[in-house]
Every structure is written in structure tokens, then in C-alpha cells.
Amino acid sequence: MTAPTGLPHFRGANVPPPPGGRRRLPVAGDIALAVGLLVLDVIGAVAAFLLGIDVNGDWKPFDPGADNSDVTFTQDWLYVGIAGGIVLLTAALLYLLRAFVSASLQVLAGMVVLLVAVGGAQFDEQQDDRARVSMSAPAAHR
């Protein structure tokens, strides 16, 4: 019995290890996945913000009797922070799938969403403090 010609013959220490582990996602597929997930992240963060406004009861999207008064944003940033945490969790899953470009962009997007949530909450807190001070200060000039 003769060995087929044209095929490599491995014997002894010359034997390569078997292919193992999972392969990486192709770069084009990884970039396409990253772009698609960034679009979903933006939609999710905006939806979380609007859900937070709606839960507070401060905003009614199609209210014909609206008086166009100011809308106060207080607890809404909690929902945005939760959305940022979910984005970071998806980054961990993408890393396990060896989609390194997508995982990196998801970490960046998650950090941006969390920073926006913290900054928005601090801004609202400062606005509330200013409103309380201006309400409690006596009118000096009348």
C-alpha cells in the first residue's frame, strides 16, 4: 500500500499539533457587528432615557392638553446607567466570542453611556440645589 502523492507526510517529532481552540471572527464581520451594535446601543440609551421620563410621569408623548411646562429629569439617569451596564455586559460576551473590535467599541460605548448618566445626574442634582436655594432665599429688592 503506497501513500498518496502530493500530501505531506508527518512522522516522529515532525507532527504538528492538531488545530485547537476557537478561531477569531473575520475582521470585516467584526467591524460590521461593531457598527450594528453601536446603532443598537444608541437606540437603547435613548429608549432608556425616554422610559425613565415616562416612569417619572413627567412626560406624556401625545398629550393634546400639554401646557409645555418644563420637564424635570431626576431619576431618569438611573435607566441610562442601567443601559450602559448592559452595553458593558455585551462587551464581555463579544470578548468570549473573540470579536475583539466589537468588544473594544462596546466597552468604549458603555463607558460613554455611563459617563453621560453620571454627568446628567450630577447636573440635575445641581439644578435641584439651585432651585431650592432660589426658592428659600428671601426677596431682597421689592
Side-chain angles (χ1 to χ4, degrees):
M1 181 175 235
T2 60
T5 58
L7 295 176
H9 298 281
F10 298 107
R11 290 188 179 95
N14 192 11
V15 178
R22 291 184 285 183
R23 296 183 325 163
R24 287 183 59 179
L25 191 65
V27 176
D30 198 2
I31 292 172
L33 180 64
V35 170
L37 286 173
L38 286 176
V39 169
L40 290 176
D41 292 341
V42 169
I43 292 170
V46 170
F49 185 72
L50 292 177
L51 177 69
I53 293 172
D54 190 38
V55 167
N56 270 348
D58 295 332
W59 181 64
K60 297 185 179 20
F62 300 107
D63 186 7
D67 61 353
N68 295 329
S69 62
D70 291 338
V71 176
T72 57
F73 303 115
T74 53
Q75 300 297 321
D76 315 324
W77 298 107
L78 176 65
Y79 290 91
V80 177
I82 291 170
I86 291 171
V87 170
L88 287 175
L89 285 176
T90 61
L93 294 174
L94 289 168
Y95 181 76
L96 291 176
L97 292 173
R98 295 182 182 241
F100 298 120
V101 173
S102 297
S104 301
L105 285 176
Q106 285 293 98
V107 167
L108 182 65
M111 295 304 293
V112 166
V113 171
L114 285 176
L115 287 174
V116 166
V118 169
Q122 288 176 347
F123 178 77
D124 283 351
E125 187 176 318
Q126 290 171 357
Q127 291 294 93
D128 288 344
D129 290 344
R130 287 184 193 143
R132 279 191 220 114
V133 168
S134 67
M135 293 276 210
S136 63
H141 303 287
R142 288 210 180 213

Coordinates of all heavy atoms in Angstrom, one line a residue, residues 12-81:
G12 N 7.2 11.1 13.6 CA 8.0 11.4 14.7 C 7.8 12.8 15.3 O 6.7 13.2 15.5
A13 N 8.9 13.6 15.5 CA 8.8 14.9 16.1 C 8.3 15.9 15.1 O 8.1 17.1 15.5 CB 10.2 15.3 16.7
N14 N 8.1 15.6 13.9 CA 7.7 16.5 12.8 C 6.2 16.7 12.8 O 5.7 17.4 12.0 CB 8.2 15.9 11.5 CG 8.1 16.9 10.4 OD1 7.9 18.0 10.6 ND2 8.3 16.4 9.2
V15 N 5.5 16.0 13.7 CA 4.0 16.1 13.7 C 3.5 17.4 14.3 O 3.8 17.7 15.4 CB 3.4 14.9 14.4 CG1 1.9 15.0 14.5 CG2 3.9 13.6 13.8
P16 N 2.7 18.2 13.5 CA 2.2 19.5 14.1 C 1.1 19.2 15.0 O 0.4 18.2 14.9 CB 1.7 20.3 12.9 CG 1.4 19.2 11.9 CD 2.4 18.1 12.1
P17 N 0.8 20.1 16.0 CA -0.3 19.9 16.9 C -1.6 20.0 16.1 O -1.7 20.7 15.1 CB -0.2 21.0 17.9 CG 0.6 22.0 17.3 CD 1.5 21.3 16.3
P18 N -2.7 19.3 16.6 CA -4.0 19.5 16.0 C -4.5 20.9 16.1 O -4.2 21.6 17.1 CB -4.8 18.4 16.7 CG -4.2 18.3 18.0 CD -2.7 18.5 17.8
P19 N -5.3 21.3 15.1 CA -5.9 22.6 15.3 C -6.8 22.7 16.5 O -7.6 21.8 16.6 CB -6.6 22.9 14.0 CG -6.8 21.5 13.4 CD -5.7 20.6 13.9
G20 N -6.7 23.7 17.3 CA -7.5 23.7 18.5 C -8.0 25.1 18.8 O -7.6 26.1 18.1
G21 N -8.9 25.2 19.7 CA -9.5 26.5 20.1 C -10.4 27.0 19.0 O -10.5 26.6 17.9
R22 N -11.1 28.1 19.4 CA -12.0 28.7 18.5 C -11.2 29.8 17.7 O -10.2 30.4 18.2 CB -13.1 29.4 19.3 CG -14.0 28.4 19.9 CD -15.2 29.1 20.5 NE -14.7 29.7 21.8 CZ -15.5 30.4 22.6 NH1 -16.7 30.6 22.3 NH2 -15.0 30.9 23.7
R23 N -11.6 30.0 16.5 CA -10.9 31.0 15.7 C -11.6 32.3 15.9 O -12.7 32.4 16.4 CB -11.0 30.6 14.2 CG -10.3 29.3 13.9 CD -10.4 29.0 12.4 NE -11.6 29.4 11.8 CZ -11.8 29.5 10.5 NH1 -10.8 29.2 9.7 NH2 -13.0 29.8 10.0
R24 N -10.8 33.4 15.5 CA -11.3 34.7 15.7 C -12.4 35.0 14.6 O -12.4 34.4 13.5 CB -10.2 35.7 15.4 CG -9.2 35.8 16.6 CD -8.2 36.9 16.3 NE -8.9 38.2 16.1 CZ -8.3 39.3 15.9 NH1 -7.0 39.3 15.8 NH2 -8.9 40.4 15.8
L25 N -13.2 35.9 14.9 CA -14.2 36.4 13.9 C -13.5 37.1 12.8 O -12.5 37.9 13.1 CB -15.2 37.3 14.6 CG -16.5 37.7 13.8 CD1 -17.3 36.5 13.6 CD2 -17.3 38.7 14.7
P26 N -13.8 36.9 11.5 CA -13.1 37.7 10.5 C -13.3 39.2 10.7 O -14.3 39.7 11.3 CB -13.9 37.3 9.2 CG -14.5 36.0 9.5 CD -14.8 36.0 11.0
V27 N -12.3 40.0 10.3 CA -12.2 41.4 10.7 C -13.4 42.1 10.1 O -14.0 43.0 10.7 CB -10.9 42.0 10.2 CG1 -10.9 43.5 10.4 CG2 -9.7 41.4 10.9
A28 N -13.8 41.8 8.8 CA -14.9 42.5 8.2 C -16.2 42.2 8.9 O -17.0 43.1 9.2 CB -15.0 42.1 6.7
G29 N -16.4 41.0 9.4 CA -17.6 40.6 10.1 C -17.6 41.3 11.5 O -18.6 41.7 12.0
D30 N -16.4 41.4 12.1 CA -16.3 42.0 13.4 C -16.6 43.5 13.3 O -17.3 44.0 14.2 CB -14.8 41.8 13.9 CG -14.7 42.1 15.4 OD1 -15.7 42.4 16.1 OD2 -13.6 42.0 15.9
I31 N -16.1 44.2 12.3 CA -16.4 45.6 12.1 C -17.9 45.8 11.8 O -18.6 46.7 12.4 CB -15.6 46.2 11.0 CG1 -14.1 46.2 11.5 CG2 -16.0 47.6 10.6 CD1 -13.1 46.6 10.4
A32 N -18.5 44.9 11.0 CA -20.0 45.1 10.7 C -20.8 44.8 12.0 O -21.8 45.5 12.3 CB -20.3 44.0 9.6
L33 N -20.4 43.9 12.8 CA -21.0 43.6 14.1 C -20.9 44.8 15.0 O -21.9 45.2 15.7 CB -20.4 42.4 14.7 CG -21.0 41.9 16.1 CD1 -22.5 41.5 15.9 CD2 -20.2 40.8 16.6
A34 N -19.7 45.4 15.0 CA -19.5 46.6 15.9 C -20.4 47.7 15.5 O -21.0 48.4 16.3 CB -18.0 47.0 15.8
V35 N -20.5 48.0 14.2 CA -21.3 49.1 13.7 C -22.8 48.8 14.1 O -23.5 49.7 14.5 CB -21.1 49.4 12.2 CG1 -22.2 50.3 11.7 CG2 -19.7 49.9 12.0
G36 N -23.3 47.6 13.8 CA -24.6 47.3 14.1 C -25.0 47.4 15.6 O -26.0 47.9 16.0
L37 N -24.0 47.0 16.4 CA -24.2 47.1 17.9 C -24.2 48.5 18.4 O -24.9 48.9 19.3 CB -23.2 46.2 18.6 CG -23.5 44.7 18.5 CD1 -22.3 43.9 19.1 CD2 -24.8 44.3 19.2
L38 N -23.4 49.3 17.8 CA -23.4 50.8 18.2 C -24.7 51.4 17.9 O -25.2 52.3 18.6 CB -22.2 51.5 17.5 CG -20.8 51.2 18.1 CD1 -19.8 51.9 17.2 CD2 -20.7 51.6 19.5
V39 N -25.3 51.1 16.7 CA -26.6 51.6 16.4 C -27.6 51.2 17.4 O -28.4 52.0 17.9 CB -27.0 51.2 15.0 CG1 -28.5 51.5 14.7 CG2 -26.1 51.9 13.9
L40 N -27.6 49.9 17.8 CA -28.5 49.4 18.8 C -28.2 50.0 20.2 O -29.2 50.3 20.9 CB -28.4 47.9 18.9 CG -28.9 47.1 17.7 CD1 -28.7 45.6 17.9 CD2 -30.4 47.3 17.6
D41 N -27.0 50.3 20.5 CA -26.6 51.0 21.8 C -27.3 52.4 21.8 O -27.8 52.8 22.9 CB -25.1 51.1 21.9 CG -24.5 49.8 22.1 OD1 -25.2 48.8 22.5 OD2 -23.2 49.7 21.9
V42 N -27.2 53.1 20.7 CA -27.8 54.5 20.7 C -29.3 54.4 20.9 O -29.9 55.1 21.7 CB -27.4 55.2 19.4 CG1 -28.2 56.5 19.3 CG2 -25.9 55.5 19.4
I43 N -29.9 53.5 20.2 CA -31.3 53.3 20.3 C -31.7 52.9 21.7 O -32.7 53.4 22.3 CB -31.9 52.3 19.2 CG1 -31.7 52.9 17.8 CG2 -33.3 51.9 19.5 CD1 -32.0 51.8 16.7
G44 N -31.0 52.0 22.3 CA -31.2 51.5 23.6 C -31.1 52.6 24.7 O -31.9 52.7 25.6
A45 N -30.0 53.4 24.5 CA -29.8 54.5 25.5 C -30.9 55.6 25.4 O -31.4 56.0 26.5 CB -28.5 55.2 25.3
V46 N -31.3 55.9 24.2 CA -32.4 56.9 24.1 C -33.7 56.3 24.6 O -34.5 57.0 25.3 CB -32.6 57.3 22.6 CG1 -33.8 58.1 22.4 CG2 -31.3 58.1 22.2
A47 N -34.0 55.0 24.3 CA -35.2 54.4 24.8 C -35.2 54.3 26.3 O -36.2 54.5 27.0 CB -35.3 53.0 24.2
A48 N -34.0 54.0 26.9 CA -33.9 54.0 28.4 C -34.2 55.4 29.0 O -34.9 55.5 30.0 CB -32.6 53.5 28.8
F49 N -33.7 56.4 28.3 CA -33.9 57.8 28.8 C -35.4 58.1 28.8 O -36.0 58.7 29.7 CB -33.1 58.7 28.0 CG -33.2 60.2 28.5 CD1 -32.5 60.5 29.7 CD2 -33.8 61.1 27.8 CE1 -32.6 61.8 30.2 CE2 -33.9 62.4 28.3 CZ -33.3 62.8 29.4
L50 N -36.0 57.8 27.6 CA -37.4 58.1 27.5 C -38.3 57.3 28.4 O -39.3 57.8 29.0 CB -37.9 57.9 26.0 CG -37.3 58.9 25.0 CD1 -37.8 58.5 23.6 CD2 -37.6 60.3 25.4
L51 N -37.9 56.0 28.7 CA -38.6 55.2 29.6 C -38.5 55.8 31.0 O -39.4 55.8 31.8 CB -38.0 53.8 29.6 CG -38.6 52.8 30.6 CD1 -40.1 52.5 30.2 CD2 -37.8 51.5 30.7
G52 N -37.3 56.3 31.4 CA -37.1 56.9 32.7 C -38.0 58.2 32.8 O -38.6 58.4 33.9
I53 N -38.1 59.0 31.8 CA -39.0 60.1 31.8 C -40.4 59.7 32.0 O -41.2 60.2 32.8 CB -38.9 61.0 30.6 CG1 -37.5 61.6 30.5 CG2 -39.9 62.1 30.5 CD1 -37.2 62.3 29.2
D54 N -40.8 58.7 31.3 CA -42.2 58.2 31.3 C -42.5 57.6 32.7 O -43.6 57.8 33.2 CB -42.4 57.1 30.3 CG -43.9 56.8 30.1 OD1 -44.8 57.7 30.2 OD2 -44.2 55.6 29.9
V55 N -41.6 56.9 33.3 CA -41.8 56.3 34.6 C -42.0 57.4 35.7 O -42.8 57.3 36.6 CB -40.7 55.3 35.0 CG1 -40.7 55.0 36.5 CG2 -40.8 54.1 34.2
N56 N -41.3 58.5 35.6 CA -41.5 59.6 36.5 C -42.8 60.3 36.3 O -43.3 61.0 37.2 CB -40.4 60.7 36.3 CG -39.2 60.4 37.1 OD1 -39.2 59.6 38.0 ND2 -38.1 61.1 36.8
G57 N -43.5 60.1 35.2 CA -44.8 60.7 35.0 C -44.7 62.1 34.5 O -45.7 62.8 34.5
D58 N -43.4 62.6 34.2 CA -43.3 64.0 33.8 C -43.5 64.2 32.3 O -43.6 65.3 31.9 CB -41.8 64.4 34.1 CG -41.5 64.4 35.6 OD1 -42.5 64.6 36.4 OD2 -40.4 64.2 36.0
W59 N -43.6 63.2 31.5 CA -43.7 63.4 30.1 C -44.8 62.5 29.5 O -44.8 61.3 29.8 CB -42.3 63.0 29.5 CG -42.3 63.2 28.0 CD1 -42.4 64.4 27.3 CD2 -42.1 62.2 27.0 NE1 -42.3 64.1 26.0 CE2 -42.1 62.8 25.8 CE3 -41.9 60.8 27.1 CZ2 -41.9 62.1 24.6 CZ3 -41.7 60.1 25.9 CH2 -41.7 60.8 24.7
K60 N -45.6 63.1 28.8 CA -46.6 62.3 28.0 C -46.5 62.7 26.6 O -46.6 63.8 26.2 CB -48.0 62.7 28.5 CG -48.2 62.4 30.0 CD -49.6 62.7 30.5 CE -49.8 62.3 31.9 NZ -48.8 62.2 32.8
P61 N -46.1 61.7 25.8 CA -45.7 62.0 24.4 C -46.8 62.6 23.5 O -46.5 63.4 22.7 CB -45.2 60.6 23.8 CG -45.8 59.6 24.7 CD -46.0 60.3 26.1
F62 N -48.0 62.2 23.6 CA -49.0 62.7 22.8 C -50.2 63.2 23.6 O -51.3 62.8 23.5 CB -49.6 61.6 21.9 CG -48.5 61.0 21.0 CD1 -47.9 59.8 21.2 CD2 -48.0 61.7 19.9 CE1 -46.9 59.2 20.4 CE2 -47.0 61.2 19.1 CZ -46.4 60.0 19.4
D63 N -49.9 64.2 24.4 CA -50.9 64.8 25.3 C -51.4 66.1 24.6 O -50.6 67.1 24.6 CB -50.2 65.1 26.7 CG -51.2 65.6 27.7 OD1 -52.4 65.6 27.4 OD2 -50.8 66.1 28.8
P64 N -52.6 66.1 24.1 CA -53.1 67.3 23.4 C -53.3 68.5 24.4 O -53.3 69.6 24.0 CB -54.4 66.9 22.8 CG -54.8 65.7 23.6 CD -53.6 65.0 24.1
G65 N -53.4 68.2 25.7 CA -53.7 69.3 26.6 C -52.4 69.7 27.4 O -52.5 70.3 28.4
A66 N -51.3 69.4 26.8 CA -50.0 69.8 27.5 C -49.8 71.3 27.6 O -50.2 72.0 26.7 CB -48.8 69.1 26.7
D67 N -49.3 71.7 28.7 CA -49.1 73.1 28.9 C -47.6 73.5 28.6 O -47.3 74.7 28.8 CB -49.4 73.5 30.4 CG -48.5 72.7 31.4 OD1 -47.7 71.9 30.9 OD2 -48.6 73.0 32.6
N68 N -46.8 72.6 28.0 CA -45.5 72.9 27.6 C -44.6 73.4 28.8 O -43.7 74.2 28.6 CB -45.4 73.9 26.5 CG -46.0 73.3 25.2 OD1 -45.9 72.1 25.0 ND2 -46.6 74.2 24.4
S69 N -44.9 72.9 30.0 CA -44.1 73.3 31.1 C -42.8 72.6 31.1 O -42.6 71.6 30.4 CB -44.8 73.0 32.4 OG -45.1 71.7 32.5
D70 N -41.8 73.0 31.9 CA -40.5 72.4 32.0 C -40.7 70.9 32.5 O -41.5 70.6 33.4 CB -39.6 73.1 32.9 CG -39.2 74.5 32.3 OD1 -39.3 74.6 31.1 OD2 -38.8 75.4 33.1
V71 N -39.9 70.1 32.0 CA -39.8 68.7 32.4 C -38.6 68.5 33.3 O -37.5 68.9 32.9 CB -39.7 67.7 31.2 CG1 -39.6 66.3 31.7 CG2 -40.9 67.9 30.3
T72 N -38.8 68.0 34.5 CA -37.7 67.8 35.4 C -37.2 66.4 35.2 O -37.9 65.4 35.2 CB -38.1 68.0 36.9 OG1 -39.2 67.1 37.1 CG2 -38.5 69.4 37.1
F73 N -35.8 66.2 35.1 CA -35.2 64.9 35.0 C -34.5 64.6 36.3 O -33.5 65.2 36.6 CB -34.2 65.0 33.8 CG -34.8 65.4 32.5 CD1 -34.4 66.6 31.9 CD2 -35.7 64.6 31.9 CE1 -34.9 67.0 30.7 CE2 -36.2 65.0 30.7 CZ -35.8 66.2 30.1
T74 N -35.0 63.6 37.0 CA -34.4 63.3 38.3 C -33.9 61.8 38.3 O -32.7 61.6 38.2 CB -35.3 63.5 39.4 OG1 -36.6 62.9 39.2 CG2 -35.6 65.0 39.6
Q75 N -34.8 60.9 38.2 CA -34.4 59.5 38.3 C -34.1 58.9 36.9 O -33.8 57.7 36.8 CB -35.5 58.7 39.0 CG -35.8 59.1 40.4 CD -34.6 59.0 41.3 OE1 -33.9 58.0 41.2 NE2 -34.3 59.9 42.2
D76 N -34.3 59.7 35.9 CA -34.2 59.2 34.5 C -32.8 58.6 34.2 O -32.6 57.7 33.4 CB -34.5 60.2 33.5 CG -35.8 61.0 33.9 OD1 -36.7 60.3 34.5 OD2 -35.8 62.2 33.7
W77 N -31.8 59.2 34.9 CA -30.4 58.8 34.6 C -30.1 57.5 35.1 O -29.1 56.8 34.6 CB -29.5 59.9 35.2 CG -29.7 61.2 34.5 CD1 -30.3 62.3 35.1 CD2 -29.4 61.6 33.2 NE1 -30.4 63.3 34.2 CE2 -29.8 62.9 33.0 CE3 -28.8 60.9 32.1 CZ2 -29.7 63.6 31.8 CZ3 -28.6 61.6 30.9 CH2 -29.1 62.9 30.8
L78 N -30.9 57.0 36.1 CA -30.7 55.6 36.5 C -30.9 54.6 35.4 O -30.1 53.7 35.2 CB -31.6 55.3 37.7 CG -31.6 53.9 38.2 CD1 -30.3 53.6 38.8 CD2 -32.7 53.7 39.2
Y79 N -31.9 54.8 34.6 CA -32.2 54.0 33.5 C -31.1 54.0 32.4 O -30.7 53.0 31.8 CB -33.5 54.4 32.8 CG -34.7 54.0 33.7 CD1 -35.2 54.9 34.6 CD2 -35.3 52.8 33.6 CE1 -36.3 54.6 35.4 CE2 -36.4 52.4 34.4 CZ -36.9 53.4 35.3 OH -37.9 53.0 36.1
V80 N -30.5 55.2 32.2 CA -29.4 55.3 31.3 C -28.2 54.6 31.8 O -27.5 53.9 31.0 CB -29.1 56.8 31.0 CG1 -27.9 57.0 30.1 CG2 -30.3 57.5 30.4
G81 N -27.9 54.7 33.1 CA -26.8 53.9 33.7 C -27.0 52.4 33.6 O -26.0 51.7 33.3

